[in-house]
Amino acid sequence: MNASKTLVYDGSFNGFLTAVFIGFEHKLTHADIQKQGQLQSGLFAETETIFTNIEKAQRVWNGVRNKSNTAIKNIYFAFLSEQNNMEALIYRYIQKLMGSKHKGATDFSDDGVLKINQLAHKVGREKHRMEAFARFQLTKDDVYFANIEPDFDVLPLISKHFRNRYADQQWIIYDVKRKYGLFYDLNTVEIISLDLTDIHSNSIEKSSAFTEAEYEYQDLWNNYFKSTTIKSRINNKLHVQHVPKRYWKYLSEKKEAV
Amino acid sequence: MDFNRIKEKLNILADAAKYDVSCSSSGSNRKNKDNGLGDTGNGICHTYTEDGRCVSLLKILLTNHCIFDCAYCVTRKSNDIQRAAFKIQEVVDLTINFYRRNYIEGLFLSSGIFKSADHTMERLIAVAKKLREEENFNGYIHLKSIPGASDELMYEAGLYADRLSVNIEIPTISGLKLLAPDKKHEDFIKPMLKVKNEIIRYKEESKIIKSTAKYAPAGQSTQMIVGATGESDKDIMYSATHFYKNYQMKRVYYSGYVPISTDSRLPSLGSEVPMLRENRLYQTDWLLRFYGFSVNEILDTDNPNLDMDIDPKLMWALRNLNHFPVDINKAEPRMLARIPGIGMGSVHKIISGRKYRRLSWEHLKKMGIALNRAKYFIICNSSDWERRDLDAATIKGMILQSQNSKFKNQYNNQLSLFN
Ligand code: SF4
């Protein structure tokens, strides 16, 4: 295979792993793997379209997992970061991992390993933030509804947490940026896409989609938030560091501040 | 539900509860049962107050009526404030509705003491029981153990709560006599002891018979007020160590005294909250629990107080320069953990990293180690290291110069008090 070839995959994680498989098969030292629709390589580079193949993807997945459980998590998290060029980084990471005698991807003195770790760490933090900052509002159809706008594509990572916790209520968590969401109907979690006319951030204006009591509880919560602050210890720098401003518009306790 | 009335109560009873600094909701392992509501895990901070503290639980008092008159407490009998009391069902509804909206991990319920210790404890238990049995609520519940409550009630409390706590508040017995003359030291200890014994018993039994019954799975904690009675850091940390050891405390919290009274036994209104000191105590607590230090290495009769301008690990290192420099590529983990500027995370990175190659300054920097502090205490794979025989004062001066302490302002203020 020509060294300057670009592998184009469909954007899915399995698609990416298939591309890694093909890259290994052709013994590419550097793989230029890119998402369909986001091609960035030179005009004249040759491209090969990769068709997602679950079996091949599985083989890469298992190969990595046999080496290290941390690595498999790091790879998946780094993938969800959607960062430019993360495909090439992960490719190199897997290469290194498969070639290494040590069972693990813990060489923190290696740049590539550090970089993947950092990406995975960032995505992990965003997952954690969404588990913390998603705010449900109760609709008149008895569904608890939350909009989020995460920096990375973390919906697949938070599904389990919400499923385990809110097992007795229907809920939707919708990613406004990526235009898809999760819907739990008391049995299973499904992926949905919605035609949202309103983005239901926690605006001061009320929406008729939600129950009356919903706004009473938001009000109570905002009051609680205020009375629990100790005035003589105010430290806004710390506050904003923990709750960055870009998340405020979905937090009912911050709606007056937005 | 009369939302306006609830709002009034919530404002009063949240305001009175906020001086309890504990907001931990971790350490329990309660799973969601029968497709009910909630579970517990690592504990999530759902938001942060404007003073930068984690908000993870709905933290309120059941009532702020109290028959006692502890000088350091806003709820004390003689204080002229608005009083309120929640009904049991009101607390249950608030908890459930906040929880369903993903505002909180659960409830932290405390109370002023009305009528008697037992009567108060009974009501706290009633809330927890209702949440667990009627609402199938599996989120986190932290109940305050009321000083003087009976063993029977403390037993029952542990069946529903994830965590129980009694705040010792005043680290020395003499301080307690001065500020809360009608409270007895034994009254604090008794419920603590009962809870400790039950936790041990449940653990033992669960080894023999497999059962899902739980007793306070997140253990117990306590809190001490810092800076209310002229106690030393040694007083505080020795007493903390005592509670960790003898009562198997999960956590001891340190709460800088917030002036709330004109009582002449206490720091006057408007005096600064000792936040820096509080922070140093937490750092010390951390060294004791995770870094293998013992308390007398850090504080003793000759050094009864922590250094305010440097962290306690650096303070220790400067007093023990004979242990340094440490070779990053060879040293045992326990010694790595004692190097100023190197946290536990970095210790693990060093240990994994040095399997592949000998580490140099460049590697250490990339791992995120605070070299401005660490460099005086280590050698690594480089011929370039600090070889001058610097004395402790010089090293301290150089480190201070290189870092702009975030607490500098406050530190200066505190200093000026003594000028
Ligand atoms: S018994 Fe508790 S609530 Fe009452 S005054 Fe003393 S510390 Fe405050």
Side-chain angles (χ1 to χ4, degrees), chain B residues 363-404:
Chain B
H363 298 131
L364 295 177
K365 201 170 183 177
K366 274 195 204 138
M367 290 175 186
I369 286 164
L371 286 179
N372 70 326
R373 263 175 297 160
K375 69 177 173 198
Y376 302 99
F377 303 96
I378 56 181
I379 47 177
C380 59
N381 193 26
S382 160
S383 54
D384 175 23
W385 51 283
E386 186 57 67
R387 30 182 112 241
R388 285 173 292 170
D389 228 347
L390 301 173
D391 63 26
T394 315
I395 298 178
K396 179 172 164 181
M398 283 164 52
I399 290 176
L400 280 180
Q401 213 168 32
S402 73
Q403 70 187 23
N404 215 335

Short mmCIF file of all heavy atoms in Angstrom, two decimals, chain B residues 363-404:
data_model
loop_
_atom_site.label_atom_id
_atom_site.label_comp_id
_atom_site.label_asym_id
_atom_site.label_seq_id
_atom_site.Cartn_x
_atom_site.Cartn_y
_atom_site.Cartn_z
N HIS B 363 11.67 14.58 31.92
CA HIS B 363 10.57 13.63 32.17
C HIS B 363 9.74 14.06 33.38
O HIS B 363 8.52 14.03 33.35
CB HIS B 363 11.12 12.22 32.43
CG HIS B 363 11.87 11.65 31.26
ND1 HIS B 363 13.12 11.09 31.39
CD2 HIS B 363 11.55 11.59 29.95
CE1 HIS B 363 13.54 10.69 30.19
NE2 HIS B 363 12.59 10.97 29.30
N LEU B 364 10.42 14.46 34.42
CA LEU B 364 9.71 14.83 35.65
C LEU B 364 8.81 16.03 35.41
O LEU B 364 7.69 16.10 35.89
CB LEU B 364 10.71 15.13 36.77
CG LEU B 364 11.56 13.94 37.21
CD1 LEU B 364 12.56 14.37 38.27
CD2 LEU B 364 10.69 12.80 37.74
N LYS B 365 9.32 16.95 34.63
CA LYS B 365 8.55 18.15 34.33
C LYS B 365 7.28 17.77 33.60
O LYS B 365 6.19 18.24 33.92
CB LYS B 365 9.40 19.06 33.45
CG LYS B 365 8.97 20.50 33.47
CD LYS B 365 10.03 21.26 32.77
CE LYS B 365 9.92 22.71 32.68
NZ LYS B 365 11.16 23.18 31.99
N LYS B 366 7.41 16.89 32.61
CA LYS B 366 6.24 16.48 31.83
C LYS B 366 5.22 15.75 32.69
O LYS B 366 4.03 15.77 32.41
CB LYS B 366 6.67 15.58 30.67
CG LYS B 366 7.07 16.35 29.45
CD LYS B 366 7.13 15.45 28.25
CE LYS B 366 8.05 16.04 27.19
NZ LYS B 366 8.91 15.03 26.59
N MET B 367 5.67 15.08 33.70
CA MET B 367 4.73 14.38 34.58
C MET B 367 3.97 15.34 35.48
O MET B 367 3.11 14.95 36.25
CB MET B 367 5.49 13.38 35.46
CG MET B 367 6.02 12.20 34.69
SD MET B 367 7.00 11.16 35.79
CE MET B 367 7.64 9.99 34.60
N GLY B 368 4.33 16.60 35.42
CA GLY B 368 3.60 17.59 36.18
C GLY B 368 4.08 17.76 37.61
O GLY B 368 3.34 18.19 38.48
N ILE B 369 5.35 17.43 37.83
CA ILE B 369 5.89 17.58 39.20
C ILE B 369 6.31 19.03 39.45
O ILE B 369 6.86 19.68 38.57
CB ILE B 369 7.08 16.62 39.38
CG1 ILE B 369 6.51 15.20 39.50
CG2 ILE B 369 7.93 16.97 40.58
CD1 ILE B 369 7.51 14.13 39.31
N ALA B 370 6.02 19.52 40.64
CA ALA B 370 6.35 20.90 40.98
C ALA B 370 7.84 21.01 41.27
O ALA B 370 8.28 20.94 42.42
CB ALA B 370 5.53 21.36 42.18
N LEU B 371 8.61 21.18 40.21
CA LEU B 371 10.07 21.15 40.36
C LEU B 371 10.61 22.33 41.17
O LEU B 371 11.65 22.21 41.80
CB LEU B 371 10.74 21.09 38.99
CG LEU B 371 10.65 19.74 38.29
CD1 LEU B 371 11.34 19.79 36.94
CD2 LEU B 371 11.28 18.64 39.14
N ASN B 372 9.88 23.42 41.16
CA ASN B 372 10.39 24.57 41.92
C ASN B 372 10.55 24.21 43.40
O ASN B 372 11.41 24.74 44.08
CB ASN B 372 9.50 25.80 41.73
CG ASN B 372 8.15 25.63 42.40
OD1 ASN B 372 7.62 24.52 42.46
ND2 ASN B 372 7.59 26.70 42.93
N ARG B 373 9.74 23.27 43.88
CA ARG B 373 9.92 22.80 45.25
C ARG B 373 10.79 21.54 45.31
O ARG B 373 11.66 21.41 46.15
CB ARG B 373 8.55 22.52 45.88
CG ARG B 373 8.04 23.67 46.72
CD ARG B 373 6.65 23.41 47.23
NE ARG B 373 5.71 23.29 46.11
CZ ARG B 373 4.52 22.70 46.21
NH1 ARG B 373 4.15 22.16 47.34
NH2 ARG B 373 3.72 22.65 45.16
N ALA B 374 10.52 20.61 44.37
CA ALA B 374 11.15 19.30 44.46
C ALA B 374 12.66 19.34 44.19
O ALA B 374 13.42 18.55 44.75
CB ALA B 374 10.48 18.34 43.48
N LYS B 375 13.10 20.29 43.36
CA LYS B 375 14.49 20.20 42.86
C LYS B 375 15.55 20.24 43.96
O LYS B 375 16.65 19.74 43.77
CB LYS B 375 14.74 21.29 41.83
CG LYS B 375 14.78 22.69 42.38
CD LYS B 375 15.11 23.68 41.26
CE LYS B 375 14.97 25.10 41.78
NZ LYS B 375 14.85 26.09 40.72
N TYR B 376 15.23 20.82 45.11
CA TYR B 376 16.22 20.89 46.18
C TYR B 376 16.37 19.56 46.91
O TYR B 376 17.24 19.39 47.75
CB TYR B 376 15.82 21.96 47.20
CG TYR B 376 15.69 23.32 46.57
CD1 TYR B 376 14.44 23.81 46.21
CD2 TYR B 376 16.83 24.09 46.31
CE1 TYR B 376 14.32 25.05 45.62
CE2 TYR B 376 16.71 25.33 45.71
CZ TYR B 376 15.46 25.81 45.37
OH TYR B 376 15.34 27.03 44.77
N PHE B 377 15.47 18.62 46.61
CA PHE B 377 15.42 17.40 47.41
C PHE B 377 15.69 16.13 46.62
O PHE B 377 15.59 15.04 47.15
CB PHE B 377 14.05 17.29 48.10
CG PHE B 377 13.73 18.49 48.96
CD1 PHE B 377 12.96 19.53 48.46
CD2 PHE B 377 14.22 18.57 50.25
CE1 PHE B 377 12.69 20.64 49.25
CE2 PHE B 377 13.94 19.67 51.04
CZ PHE B 377 13.18 20.72 50.55
N ILE B 378 16.00 16.26 45.32
CA ILE B 378 16.14 15.05 44.51
C ILE B 378 17.37 15.08 43.62
O ILE B 378 17.90 16.15 43.29
CB ILE B 378 14.90 14.82 43.61
CG1 ILE B 378 14.63 16.04 42.74
CG2 ILE B 378 13.70 14.51 44.45
CD1 ILE B 378 13.39 15.89 41.85
N ILE B 379 17.76 13.87 43.22
CA ILE B 379 18.67 13.75 42.09
C ILE B 379 18.01 12.80 41.09
O ILE B 379 17.21 11.94 41.46
CB ILE B 379 20.07 13.22 42.48
CG1 ILE B 379 19.94 12.01 43.39
CG2 ILE B 379 20.89 14.29 43.13
CD1 ILE B 379 21.29 11.41 43.75
N CYS B 380 18.33 13.00 39.80
CA CYS B 380 17.76 12.13 38.78
C CYS B 380 18.82 11.89 37.73
O CYS B 380 20.00 12.14 37.97
CB CYS B 380 16.50 12.75 38.19
SG CYS B 380 16.81 14.36 37.45
N ASN B 381 18.41 11.42 36.57
CA ASN B 381 19.37 11.07 35.54
C ASN B 381 19.89 12.34 34.86
O ASN B 381 19.52 12.63 33.74
CB ASN B 381 18.74 10.14 34.52
CG ASN B 381 19.79 9.52 33.62
OD1 ASN B 381 20.94 9.39 34.03
ND2 ASN B 381 19.40 9.17 32.41
N SER B 382 20.74 13.04 35.54
CA SER B 382 21.28 14.28 35.00
C SER B 382 22.42 14.66 35.92
O SER B 382 22.37 14.41 37.13
CB SER B 382 20.21 15.36 35.00
OG SER B 382 20.82 16.62 34.94
N SER B 383 23.41 15.28 35.36
CA SER B 383 24.53 15.67 36.21
C SER B 383 24.23 17.04 36.81
O SER B 383 24.96 17.55 37.64
CB SER B 383 25.81 15.71 35.39
OG SER B 383 25.58 16.55 34.27
N ASP B 384 23.11 17.58 36.36
CA ASP B 384 22.79 18.94 36.75
C ASP B 384 21.82 18.91 37.92
O ASP B 384 20.63 18.75 37.76
CB ASP B 384 22.16 19.61 35.52
CG ASP B 384 21.67 21.00 35.84
OD1 ASP B 384 22.18 21.59 36.80
OD2 ASP B 384 20.77 21.47 35.13
N TRP B 385 22.34 19.00 39.11
CA TRP B 385 21.45 19.06 40.26
C TRP B 385 22.00 19.98 41.33
O TRP B 385 23.16 20.36 41.30
CB TRP B 385 21.13 17.67 40.82
CG TRP B 385 22.32 16.80 41.10
CD1 TRP B 385 23.07 16.12 40.19
CD2 TRP B 385 22.93 16.55 42.37
NE1 TRP B 385 24.09 15.45 40.80
CE2 TRP B 385 24.03 15.68 42.14
CE3 TRP B 385 22.65 16.94 43.68
CZ2 TRP B 385 24.86 15.22 43.17
CZ3 TRP B 385 23.46 16.47 44.70
CH2 TRP B 385 24.56 15.62 44.44
N GLU B 386 21.14 20.31 42.24
CA GLU B 386 21.50 21.29 43.27
C GLU B 386 22.54 20.68 44.21
O GLU B 386 22.20 19.85 45.05
CB GLU B 386 20.22 21.66 44.03
CG GLU B 386 20.41 22.76 45.04
CD GLU B 386 20.95 24.03 44.44
OE1 GLU B 386 20.24 24.66 43.63
OE2 GLU B 386 22.09 24.40 44.77
N ARG B 387 23.79 21.07 44.08
CA ARG B 387 24.78 20.44 44.94
C ARG B 387 25.32 21.36 46.02
O ARG B 387 26.07 20.95 46.89
CB ARG B 387 25.94 19.84 44.14
CG ARG B 387 26.24 20.54 42.87
CD ARG B 387 27.36 19.91 42.07
NE ARG B 387 26.86 19.32 40.82
CZ ARG B 387 26.97 18.04 40.54
NH1 ARG B 387 27.51 17.21 41.38
NH2 ARG B 387 26.53 17.58 39.38
N ARG B 388 24.93 22.61 45.93
CA ARG B 388 25.37 23.49 47.02
C ARG B 388 24.79 22.97 48.33
O ARG B 388 23.68 22.44 48.34
CB ARG B 388 24.85 24.91 46.79
CG ARG B 388 25.60 25.65 45.71
CD ARG B 388 24.92 26.97 45.42
NE ARG B 388 23.60 26.77 44.80
CZ ARG B 388 22.72 27.74 44.60
NH1 ARG B 388 22.97 28.96 45.03
NH2 ARG B 388 21.57 27.50 44.01
N ASP B 389 25.50 23.12 49.37
CA ASP B 389 24.99 22.65 50.65
C ASP B 389 24.15 23.76 51.27
O ASP B 389 24.62 24.52 52.10
CB ASP B 389 26.17 22.29 51.56
CG ASP B 389 25.95 20.94 52.19
OD1 ASP B 389 24.80 20.46 52.11
OD2 ASP B 389 26.91 20.40 52.75
N LEU B 390 22.89 23.83 50.83
CA LEU B 390 22.05 24.93 51.30
C LEU B 390 21.43 24.57 52.64
O LEU B 390 21.07 23.43 52.88
CB LEU B 390 20.95 25.18 50.28
CG LEU B 390 21.42 25.55 48.88
CD1 LEU B 390 20.25 25.60 47.92
CD2 LEU B 390 22.17 26.86 48.89
N ASP B 391 21.30 25.56 53.49
CA ASP B 391 20.62 25.26 54.74
C ASP B 391 19.11 25.50 54.59
O ASP B 391 18.65 26.08 53.61
CB ASP B 391 21.20 26.06 55.91
CG ASP B 391 21.03 27.55 55.72
OD1 ASP B 391 20.09 27.96 55.00
OD2 ASP B 391 21.84 28.32 56.26
N ALA B 392 18.36 25.02 55.57
CA ALA B 392 16.90 25.03 55.47
C ALA B 392 16.34 26.43 55.19
O ALA B 392 15.48 26.60 54.33
CB ALA B 392 16.29 24.46 56.74
N ALA B 393 16.86 27.41 55.90
CA ALA B 393 16.31 28.76 55.75
C ALA B 393 16.51 29.27 54.33
O ALA B 393 15.63 29.92 53.75
CB ALA B 393 16.97 29.70 56.75
N THR B 394 17.68 28.96 53.74
CA THR B 394 17.95 29.42 52.38
C THR B 394 17.00 28.76 51.39
O THR B 394 16.43 29.40 50.52
CB THR B 394 19.41 29.09 51.99
OG1 THR B 394 20.25 29.44 53.07
CG2 THR B 394 19.81 29.83 50.74
N ILE B 395 16.85 27.44 51.53
CA ILE B 395 15.95 26.73 50.61
C ILE B 395 14.54 27.30 50.73
O ILE B 395 13.89 27.61 49.74
CB ILE B 395 15.92 25.22 50.93
CG1 ILE B 395 17.31 24.63 50.73
CG2 ILE B 395 14.91 24.52 50.04
CD1 ILE B 395 17.40 23.15 51.06
N LYS B 396 14.09 27.48 51.94
CA LYS B 396 12.76 28.02 52.16
C LYS B 396 12.61 29.38 51.47
O LYS B 396 11.64 29.63 50.77
CB LYS B 396 12.48 28.14 53.66
CG LYS B 396 11.12 28.72 53.98
CD LYS B 396 10.85 28.63 55.47
CE LYS B 396 9.69 29.55 55.85
NZ LYS B 396 9.39 29.51 57.29
N GLY B 397 13.62 30.22 51.66
CA GLY B 397 13.57 31.54 51.04
C GLY B 397 13.48 31.45 49.54
O GLY B 397 12.69 32.15 48.90
N MET B 398 14.28 30.55 48.95
CA MET B 398 14.29 30.44 47.49
C MET B 398 12.95 29.92 46.98
O MET B 398 12.46 30.36 45.94
CB MET B 398 15.45 29.56 47.05
CG MET B 398 16.75 30.36 47.15
SD MET B 398 18.30 29.47 47.13
CE MET B 398 18.32 28.45 45.77
N ILE B 399 12.39 28.96 47.70
CA ILE B 399 11.10 28.41 47.26
C ILE B 399 10.00 29.47 47.36
O ILE B 399 9.21 29.66 46.45
CB ILE B 399 10.73 27.16 48.08
CG1 ILE B 399 11.67 26.02 47.70
CG2 ILE B 399 9.29 26.76 47.83
CD1 ILE B 399 11.49 24.76 48.49
N LEU B 400 10.02 30.19 48.47
CA LEU B 400 8.99 31.22 48.65
C LEU B 400 9.08 32.27 47.56
O LEU B 400 8.07 32.76 47.06
CB LEU B 400 9.14 31.88 50.02
CG LEU B 400 8.55 31.10 51.18
CD1 LEU B 400 8.76 31.85 52.48
CD2 LEU B 400 7.07 30.82 50.95
N GLN B 401 10.31 32.60 47.20
CA GLN B 401 10.48 33.61 46.18
C GLN B 401 9.92 33.15 44.84
O GLN B 401 9.38 33.93 44.09
CB GLN B 401 11.97 33.90 46.04
CG GLN B 401 12.24 35.33 45.69
CD GLN B 401 13.72 35.61 45.85
OE1 GLN B 401 14.56 34.74 45.63
NE2 GLN B 401 14.05 36.82 46.23
N SER B 402 10.08 31.84 44.57
CA SER B 402 9.68 31.32 43.27
C SER B 402 8.18 31.12 43.16
O SER B 402 7.64 30.92 42.09
CB SER B 402 10.40 30.00 42.98
OG SER B 402 9.83 28.99 43.78
N GLN B 403 7.49 31.11 44.26
CA GLN B 403 6.05 30.89 44.14
C GLN B 403 5.33 32.08 44.73
O GLN B 403 5.68 32.62 45.75
CB GLN B 403 5.63 29.61 44.85
CG GLN B 403 5.72 29.68 46.35
CD GLN B 403 5.45 28.33 47.00
OE1 GLN B 403 5.61 27.29 46.37
NE2 GLN B 403 5.01 28.35 48.23
N ASN B 404 4.30 32.47 44.02
CA ASN B 404 3.53 33.57 44.54
C ASN B 404 2.37 32.96 45.30
O ASN B 404 1.36 32.61 44.73
CB ASN B 404 3.03 34.43 43.39
CG ASN B 404 3.02 35.87 43.80
OD1 ASN B 404 2.93 36.18 44.98
ND2 ASN B 404 3.12 36.75 42.82
#
